[in-house]
Amino acid sequence: MKWRTLVAAGAAMFAAGPALAESVVPQPWQMGLQRAVTPVMERITEFHDLLLVIITLICLVVFALIGYVVVRFREDRNPVPSRRTHNTALEVIWTAIPVLILVIISIPSFKLLYYMDTIPETEFRIKAIGHQWYWSYVYPDHGNFTFDAIMKHDDELEPGEPRLLATDNYVVIPVNTKIKLQVTADDVLHSWTVPAFGVKIDAIPGRLNEVWIEARETGTFYGQCSELCGYGHGFMPIAVKVVNREEFDAWVKQAQEEFARADQAPVRMAAN
Amino acid sequence: MAHSEAHAHEHHAPSGLRRWLFSTNHKDIGTLYLVLSFVFALVGLAMSIAFRLELMEPGTQFIQDHHWFNVLVTAHGLIMVFFFVMPALIGGFGNWFVPLMIGAPDMAFPRMNNMSFWLTAAGGLMLVLTLFLGGAGTGWTIYPPLSSALGHPSPAVDFAIFSLHLAGAGSILGAINFIVTIFNMRAPGMTLHKMPLFVWSILVTAFLLLLALPVLAGAITMLLFDRNFGTHFFNAAGGGDPVLFQHLFWFFGHPEVYIMILPAFGIISHVVSTFSRKPIFGYLGMAYAMVAIGFIGFIVWAHHMYTVGMNVDVKAYFTAATMVIAVPTGIKIFSWIATMWGGAIRFTTPMLFAIGMIILFTIGGVTGVVLANAGMDVSLHDTYYVVAHFHYTLSMGALFGIFAGFYYWIGKMTGKPYPENLGKLHFWLTFIGVNLTFFPMHFSGLAGMPRRIPDYPDAFAGWNFISSLGALMAGVATLVFLVVLWKTFTAKERVPANPWGEGATTLEWTVPSPAPFHTFERQPRIA
């Protein structure tokens, strides 16, 4: 891929800062996308690299033309203006070239879109429900346990946990496993996103939206509610821990004991 | 004799309340619109500076109640769209210069024109009232269920709806007025293909208003019914659908962004042509590019909704359709450059704003191509990248167009010259300020910072600080603009009918400056 080498120089500037193995959080002065940990995000990043080159070149061409015109055709350097108002060839060219560029963009764009939108065979489901102002999660294929994930306040943060991003309970998923996330809301609109996964999907009352996630590395990954939902919109983060299979199984066992079942009345749980 | 002269004078040019409250004169109504939009621009700017100060550092600075942060963001958006950009470009410059440019004595329906203005003003008042009724923190998109009784039980949202109803009705009447005027009152000889591009831009805009605003009016009426009369149009629990509102809103909302930018395109064309001392390059292409943009603008709305969970083929369609808009937009950019090519360019303040607009609109345009891709948009939707994109097209595109128009025409409107050096200072401060504000937002958006949050993870602090500095600088630029206004209105000098020389070829430069109360009582003939 030739354009990838083209951006190599610029990539250093636009890269997502120092890559941490353990988690992906935004870095100070970060200028580019967060580091990709799913195949979807890898493709988004690749596509964005292409787009960035194209739009930068377009801007440079336009700015160069304007710069030239501004210098060359100042009134004192060119006191007698030309009267030319037509040039059919030129007009055809500046219509045709943008069309060509758009075709070049649209091919990888459609490939990406259909790749991410086609949900493959997944191992299990997780359901995320947006509330004002926290997320709750259900693991229907692991005994239907459910828990809330509420943002940790500053005084509850443990060392290394980022402010406004950490939650009291983490969503836990196994690494290298395709899972299906079903998202809905029970009051107003919310939007579930984890930038490093390349996932953003609105949580809408009465609808069940689906996306798929296949995290390729372990660590903790964060996102923030991305649809204005009122007072606490900035304070209902999404925090996902990607762990290996053994840790996941152990966590599921513990979660089944610790958390209530989504299909049982709380009263019965209390009686247990 | 003296008495009858005074009487005659009064008959032709009423004064005081009669002149301003009951005005049927297109220039006076244009002035009223400009004053209204100026007042609201200051309010909207103050709000943006307030929340940029809040966002200057991580943590809560002074807006303790996050609801009021949302209210500020919402009011800033609604004010800038409905009560600054639209009244300035369409009501203000449109009213002033469409009749002058086509050689018509006034608008076709002068009384309806008056009604348009006062409906808009009443809409503005309604919007201000929301601030005293609990505030609407819904975002300018007023998506239910946050805007339903569930999310906003206070009457603030009802008043916001009334505000949009009134402003919308005013705009629809104004649009009808412009369409009728332009089709029927052009000077003999001025065929559609000889019409100045600003008039073309207003004509296309008027059609967009006429077709888009009723859809918004319907959507917000349904919302009003949901809130107050127990209907369930957008309530999933009652069989309704919140996403339906988004479709209706954006069926209006996307043409709306072209409603805000097309008149600016028209102004830029005249300014570029005037100060290059050359006729516009590719006139027909320019006119039909606007028609094309207007048409395509109606069939791309769901690109604002890529994350709601639409069918993949639908997303593919909207991706393709949206990218097509880049073609006519490119034609406009290249034609402006070609107009300057070979010209004898004078860098007056309006020309600086025009060139600035072309540069910055290009940046806003190419990020629009990025966002058009449904796959890419997943990473950028509802992040600061989007905020950067639409401020490059509007806060730089439309706003620079408005300033270009102001400096270009203020001599015609007041008969007084603006101070050139202060105007240039105003341009440079604005240019640097808005770039400082909005360019870093691309970075915070790519890094994942969501829109409309009152506090942010600490890593976003750097770029946010720069953005806030830029906003303060834009604030300073506005103070300079106030001085420009003061100097202009107190100037002792007078400007001639055509201060710009042979490059200014449209009809408004054939009447004296300031343009008399009545112009073109006898229609000019266009060769």
Side-chain angles (χ1 to χ4, degrees):
Chain A
M1 299 229 166
K2 207 173 165 195
W3 48 266
R4 281 202 67 102
T5 50
L6 266 176
V7 288
M13 243 176 93
F14 286 89
L20 296 174
E22 273 304 292
S23 64
V24 173
V25 289
Q27 300 295 316
W29 302 105
Q30 178 173 334
M31 296 171 87
L33 293 163
Q34 290 188 17
R35 193 162 54 82
V37 296
T38 62
V40 167
M41 190 58 192
E42 276 165 19
R43 282 165 168 80
I44 290 177
T45 310
E46 205 170 288
F47 183 48
H48 184 256
D49 288 345
L50 169 70
L51 287 172
L52 190 61
V53 171
I54 291 175
I55 66 173
T56 307
L57 288 178
I58 292 172
C59 284
L60 290 179
V61 168
V62 171
F63 299 164
L65 287 171
I66 292 176
Y68 178 77
V69 161
V70 161
V71 173
R72 173 64 186 80
F73 299 108
R74 309 176 65 94
E75 194 181 31
D76 43 359
R77 276 191 72 181
N78 192 49
V80 183
S82 89
R83 305 299 295 172
R84 178 185 284 272
T85 57
H86 291 286
N87 186 328
T88 309
L90 201 58
E91 289 176 66
V92 169
I93 287 172
W94 73 43
T95 309
I97 289 183
V99 171
L100 203 68
I101 294 174
L102 293 178
V103 170
I104 293 172
I105 291 175
S106 63
I107 293 166
S109 175
F110 290 140
K111 273 170 77 177
L112 168 67
L113 176 63
Y114 280 88
Y115 174 75
M116 68 200 294
D117 234 76
T118 311
I119 298 187
E121 192 76 12
T122 52
E123 191 185 294
F124 66 88
R125 292 167 295 164
I126 299 175
K127 193 172 170 187
I129 303 149
H131 309 265
Q132 287 181 316
W133 291 278
Y134 62 96
W135 293 92
S136 63
Y137 296 92
V138 183
Y139 281 62
D141 299 325
H142 293 92
N144 219 16
F145 63 84
T146 179
F147 60 89
D148 298 337
I150 296 167
M151 188 186 82
K152 278 190 177 178
H153 281 276
D154 295 2
D155 49 7
E156 299 166 326
L157 292 175
E158 280 163 40
E161 281 187 324
R163 198 175 69 88
L164 301 182
L165 293 175
T167 53
D168 58 350
N169 290 311
Y170 285 75
V171 184
V172 179
I173 58 171
V175 71
N176 290 325
T177 308
K178 292 187 181 71
I179 59 155
K180 186 188 285 177
L181 183 76
Q182 300 180 318
V183 181
T184 187
D186 85 338
D187 38 46
V188 303
L189 304 177
H190 304 274
S191 189
W192 196 96
T193 186
V194 173
F197 293 171
V199 168
K200 185 177 288 141
I201 187 76
D202 289 359
I204 301 169
R207 282 198 181 206
L208 203 59
N209 279 331
E210 286 187 343
V211 287
W212 63 287
I213 298 170
E214 184 188 9
R216 292 268 176 86
E217 57 182 272
T218 58
T220 312
F221 308 97
Y222 300 98
Q224 293 173 277
C225 178
S226 293
E227 183 60 63
L228 180 61
C229 58
Y231 182 91
H233 168 54
F235 310 97
M236 49 178 293
I238 296 115
V240 181
K241 260 192 185 132
V242 181
V243 297
N244 61 37
R245 177 61 63 171
E246 298 81 64
E247 284 175 85
F248 178 72
D249 292 339
W251 176 80
V252 165
K253 194 156 278 175
Q254 187 201 336
Q256 284 166 341
E257 285 167 19
E258 187 180 341
F259 299 128
R261 284 177 61 96
D263 50 3
Q264 283 178 326
V267 179
R268 248 186 91 186
M269 290 306 298
N272 284 344
Chain B
M1 179 69 193
H3 174 78
S4 70
E5 225 172 33
H7 180 79
H9 179 72
E10 190 188 288
H11 177 75
H12 285 293
S15 58
L17 273 188
R18 271 195 58 201
R19 174 168 181 187
W20 295 110
L21 211 54
F22 307 140
S23 181
T24 52
N25 179 291
H26 73 100
K27 301 184 194 81
D28 282 355
I29 292 172
T31 303
L32 285 170
Y33 267 112
L34 288 175
V35 171
L36 178 87
S37 66
F38 175 68
V39 170
F40 272 106
L42 292 183
V43 175
L45 174 79
M47 287 174 165
S48 67
I49 288 178
F51 58 69
R52 267 324 320 166
L53 285 175
E54 172 59 45
L55 293 169
M56 200 156 185
E57 287 170 27
T60 299
Q61 321 311 324
F62 66 97
I63 305 174
Q64 301 294 335
D65 185 340
H66 304 313
H67 170 66
W68 282 94
F69 179 88
N70 295 340
V71 170
L72 280 180
V73 170
T74 305
H76 168 77
L78 288 172
I79 284 175
M80 289 310 202
V81 169
F82 288 97
F83 301 105
F84 167 45
V85 175
M86 288 171 71
L89 284 171
I90 306 163
F93 294 136
N95 259 309
W96 251 98
F97 292 103
V98 164
L100 283 181
M101 283 180 154
I102 63 174
D106 206 304
M107 296 286 284
F109 307 116
R111 284 173 200 279
M112 193 165 90
N113 206 8
N114 173 291
M115 192 168 154
S116 293
F117 171 76
W118 288 108
L119 283 171
T120 309
L125 183 70
M126 286 284 180
L127 191 63
V128 172
L129 284 179
T130 64
L131 299 176
F132 300 96
L133 293 165
T138 58
W140 86 284
T141 49
I142 44 175
Y143 282 178
L146 185 59
S147 61
S148 306
L150 167 75
H152 272 77
S154 77
V157 173
D158 298 309
F159 274 72
I161 290 171
F162 292 144
S163 166
L164 297 185
H165 272 144
L166 288 168
S171 291
I172 291 170
L173 295 183
I176 294 169
N177 216 339
F178 278 118
I179 292 171
V180 174
T181 306
I182 293 170
F183 277 149
N184 295 293
M185 295 172 69
R186 297 190 310 278
M190 183 180 283
T191 59
L192 279 177
H193 284 177
K194 286 184 181 169
M195 208 164 69
L197 283 175
F198 179 67
V199 183
W200 262 109
S201 74
I202 292 287
L203 180 64
V204 176
T205 302
F207 273 104
L208 298 190
L209 285 167
L210 193 63
L211 296 172
L213 276 167
V215 178
L216 173 73
I220 59 179
T221 305
M222 289 155 84
L223 182 60
L224 190 74
F225 277 43
D226 272 10
R227 287 177 56 82
N228 297 288
F229 306 127
T231 56
H232 294 117
F233 294 112
F234 308 125
N235 180 358
D241 183 4
V243 177
L244 172 64
F245 181 86
Q246 299 186 24
H247 279 291
L248 294 172
F249 181 86
W250 287 113
F251 186 84
F252 145 79
H254 199 77
E256 173 67 25
V257 306
Y258 296 111
I259 286 165
M260 290 188 276
I261 198 62
L262 284 177
F265 282 175
I267 293 173
I268 298 299
S269 291
H270 290 285
V271 172
V272 166
S273 156
T274 295
F275 296 106
S276 305
R277 242 194 302 145
K278 267 184 71 192
I280 199 79
F281 187 96
Y283 164 86
L284 279 183
M286 287 294 247
Y288 285 100
M290 289 195 283
V291 175
I293 290 172
F295 177 75
I296 307 170
F298 271 105
I299 52 172
V300 297
W301 72 91
H303 67 213
H304 297 271
M305 303 161 54
Y306 284 144
T307 62
V308 301
M310 279 186 298
N311 178 290
V312 63
D313 296 328
V314 177
K315 286 194 275 194
Y317 159 72
F318 279 105
T319 297
T322 303
M323 288 205 288
V324 169
I325 298 182
V327 177
T329 312
I331 291 175
K332 297 209 70 82
I333 300 271
F334 292 124
S335 296
W336 285 322
I337 297 175
T339 304
M340 292 193 272
W341 196 283
I345 303 174
R346 271 183 302 153
F347 296 98
T348 57
T349 307
M351 187 61 170
L352 290 180
F353 272 105
I355 296 172
M357 186 274 188
I358 298 171
I359 292 174
L360 300 178
F361 193 81
T362 303
I363 297 177
V366 293
T367 55
V369 172
V370 173
L371 289 166
N373 298 284
M376 187 68 237
D377 185 65
V378 165
S379 281
L380 302 175
H381 178 82
D382 245 305
T383 68
Y384 263 78
Y385 193 92
V386 176
V387 179
H389 159 70
F390 71 74
H391 281 94
Y392 264 85
T393 57
L394 294 176
S395 181
M396 280 95 136
L399 178 74
F400 277 42
I402 290 168
F403 279 134
F406 169 84
Y407 285 103
Y408 186 57
W409 281 320
I410 189 66
K412 181 57 58 188
M413 292 189 284
T414 63
K416 297 169 183 180
Y418 66 86
E420 190 68 62
N421 286 337
L422 269 176
K424 286 181 179 166
L425 177 68
H426 173 224
F427 165 75
W428 284 111
L429 281 174
T430 308
F431 186 84
I432 298 168
V434 291
N435 277 295
L436 218 51
T437 309
F438 296 113
F439 206 78
M441 289 183 185
H442 293 116
F443 306 143
S444 25
L446 281 168
M449 180 172 167
R451 295 169 68 177
R452 296 164 166 171
I453 52 173
D455 187 8
Y456 45 80
D458 303 343
F460 297 127
W463 294 125
N464 272 285
F465 185 73
I466 305 278
S467 285
S468 294
L469 285 186
L472 291 175
M473 192 163 172
V476 172
T478 306
L479 295 180
V480 174
F481 181 63
L482 294 182
V483 180
V484 167
L485 282 178
W486 173 255
K487 290 270 189 195
T488 306
F489 283 102
T490 56
K492 295 280 182 290
E493 307 91 88
R494 290 293 176 269
V495 296
N498 178 3
W500 304 129
E502 57 174 299
T505 55
T506 39
L507 284 174
E508 79 269 31
W509 305 110
T510 63
V511 302
S513 301
F517 198 68
H518 292 299
T519 39
F520 298 125
E521 285 172 55
R522 187 174 298 169
Q523 286 188 305
R525 282 201 167 272
I526 312 298

